[in-house]
């Protein structure tokens, strides 16, 4: 049995929450029509990313009962979807880079990004959340955001906690890379999936914003970390794959090896890993 | 300033220690002629890999003053090289899957593989070594072997310990993969290099052995984890790159981010990472 997963690599416009919601709704409706069961949107899908300052971010931040989550929850109910999407979260004077999980029953949970990228450190508050885990009809969904995925400790932790699919809203800035190479962020995501036998759905974005272009590196993998669907770089568009999430339960991959059982935690404790 | 690193992706024949040494010597001499300063050979470069049983492995195992290390040390002295190479190590009734570092001064250190792959568990003894670190004229060399590299904890640990170049002798068995995809072992190695800003030199092997073919996935990366030289799959041949090892000392990569400093060890301690 497989689960149809779609990543909507939509263009976003900074500050245009109404326009971004219209774009997201169209992409989600198209995914639903195509049979999607789990839909992932980018990081900060409601607001865009390149904030001029904290004041602009605050003006775009929403609470958990705000319009973005409400709209996503309505779509989730209408089409029986599980939706994972990023938004700037206002909470008691703080603003977090967050991602919500909604399904037909409404809001299931929110994750606040633990590893902040570059100038996010100047505008967002840093959170102390562990990776989010939500049990759904399709399996256990793990959630983290963008730069989080580049910390193998974080990916390992969510896999050890039993995630059957890691959903990661991202905004991967376009950085130089050698011709013919996949962006390193994507390589790291593929490695994390394979090293944990945990399928992964990364949803990136498109649309130049205040001079910043984006990789457009959305990818959905199988449990071996090989891409099942991969987006065209720097281009809006959805990708879809039918993923066998039950594969994530099989950490053993030959008679003698198990991606988690083979860890030498006895030795890791003698290293500086947690110092 | 750069350091010339060569990985000798040589063909090996099981049990033919004399022939394997002749092959290795030729490859090392060619590398030296080409200006190599650090040379990496495959895992179990003296013996081959596909042992029929423990008895055959024992018959091919050597001590640290055996012919393989002696030959490599002589070459290191003759050409002023640092050589990293794998061999089956006999030690007090145990046999380890080991790798030696030799330079002009002789044997510098030996690492015993901590994560054993598949049937290695039936013939080798499991070691409790931490990754090896050897200070050389070129910088601090870290050493681990094959499947070890697929444990991000291990790669992180050697990077945290200050390795400027991770040298990894491997024997990557050829497994099915989607058309056009790099083997997942190689993807994991590239990710590990980039996530730690630690250049990496993986030396794989060639030559079908008792029906087992090999990926031939040798690769040398820069500190960003992008390949500087990459071998032709399933084909004997050396690869060489001039690597700026000083880059490994710069873990910060923008005004706000540092691959090691950004780790949230406060949060990792609340996960199952070391359970």
């Amino acid at each position: 049995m497989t689960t149809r997963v779609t990543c909507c690599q939509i263009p976003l416009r900074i500050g245009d929450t109404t326009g971004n919601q219209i774009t997201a709704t169209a992409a989600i409706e198209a995914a639903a029509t195509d049979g999607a069961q789990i839909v992932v949107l980018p990081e900060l899908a409601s607001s865009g990313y390149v904030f001029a300052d904290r004041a602009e971010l605050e003006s775009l931040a929403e609470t958990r009962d705000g319009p973005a989550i409400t709209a996503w929850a309505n779509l989730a109910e209408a089409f029986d979807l599980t939706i994972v999407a990023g938004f700037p979260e206002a909470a008691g004077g703080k603003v977090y880079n967050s991602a919500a999980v909604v399904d037909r029953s409404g809001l299931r949970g929110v994750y606040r990004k633990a590893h902040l990228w570059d100038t996010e450190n100047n505008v967002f508050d840093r959170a102390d959340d562990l990776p989010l885990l939500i049990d759904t009809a399709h399996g256990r969904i793990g959630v983290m955001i963008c730069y989080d995925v580049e910390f193998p400790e974080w990916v390992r932790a969510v896999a050890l906690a039993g995630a059957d699919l890691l959903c990661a809203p991202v905004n991967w800035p376009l950085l130089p890379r050698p011709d013919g190479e996949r962006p390193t962020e994507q390589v790291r995501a593929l490695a994390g999936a394979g090293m944990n036998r945990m399928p992964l759905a990364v949803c990136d974005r498109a649309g130049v914003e205040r001079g910043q272009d984006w990789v457009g590196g959305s990818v959905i993998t199988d449990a071996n970390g090989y891409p099942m669907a991969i987006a065209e770089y720097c281009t809006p568009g959805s990708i879809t794959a039918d993923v066998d999430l039950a594969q994530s339960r099989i950490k053993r991959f030959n008679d003698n090896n198990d991606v988690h059982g083979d860890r030498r935690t006895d030795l890791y404790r003698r290293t500086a890993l947690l110092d």
Side-chain angles (χ1 to χ4, degrees), chain A residues 170-248:
Chain A
V170 311
N171 279 193
W172 280 339
L174 182 64
L175 298 170
R177 65 181 190 268
D179 286 348
E181 290 296 324
R182 287 179 174 156
T184 188
E185 300 88 342
Q186 200 174 54
V187 171
R188 296 168 193 192
L190 298 175
M195 290 190 293
N196 289 286
R197 288 195 47 78
M198 172 179 62
L200 173 149
V202 168
C203 186
D204 200 0
R205 58 168 288 177
V208 178
E209 196 181 80
R210 290 179 173 159
Q212 178 64 59
D213 202 353
W214 310 90
V215 169
S218 300
V219 61
I220 302 169
T221 78
D222 62 18
N224 292 316
Y226 287 115
M228 300 184 70
I230 193 162
E232 190 176 343
Y233 297 128
C234 300
T235 306
S238 292
I239 59 169
T240 294
D242 294 321
V243 187
D244 180 1
L245 298 186
Q247 279 292 312
S248 68

Side-chain angles (χ1 to χ4, degrees), chain A residues 113-198:
Chain A
K113 189 175 183 178
H115 303 85
L116 296 180
W117 173 265
D118 204 359
T119 55
E120 292 172 33
N121 288 281
N122 303 332
V123 292
F124 282 103
D125 291 284
R126 194 170 77 153
D128 294 328
D129 283 19
L130 294 187
L132 182 66
L133 291 153
I134 299 291
D135 287 318
T136 73
H138 312 294
R140 185 170 292 182
I141 292 181
V143 179
M144 62 184 64
I145 301 172
C146 203
Y147 188 39
D148 284 329
V149 180
E150 300 182 47
F151 291 83
E153 297 91 343
W154 216 227
V155 175
R156 184 73 101 193
V158 76
L160 289 170
D164 296 313
L165 175 72
L166 174 56
C167 295
V170 311
N171 279 193
W172 280 339
L174 182 64
L175 298 170
R177 65 181 190 268
D179 286 348
E181 290 296 324
R182 287 179 174 156
T184 188
E185 300 88 342
Q186 200 174 54
V187 171
R188 296 168 193 192
L190 298 175
M195 290 190 293
N196 289 286
R197 288 195 47 78
M198 172 179 62

Side-chain angles (χ1 to χ4, degrees), chain A residues 30-54:
Chain A
T33 301
D34 189 44
Q37 295 165 292
I38 297 172
V39 174
V40 189
L41 297 185
E43 181 181 12
L44 297 169
S46 63
S47 60
Y49 182 96
V50 186
F51 308 104
D53 51 29
R54 169 86 176 192

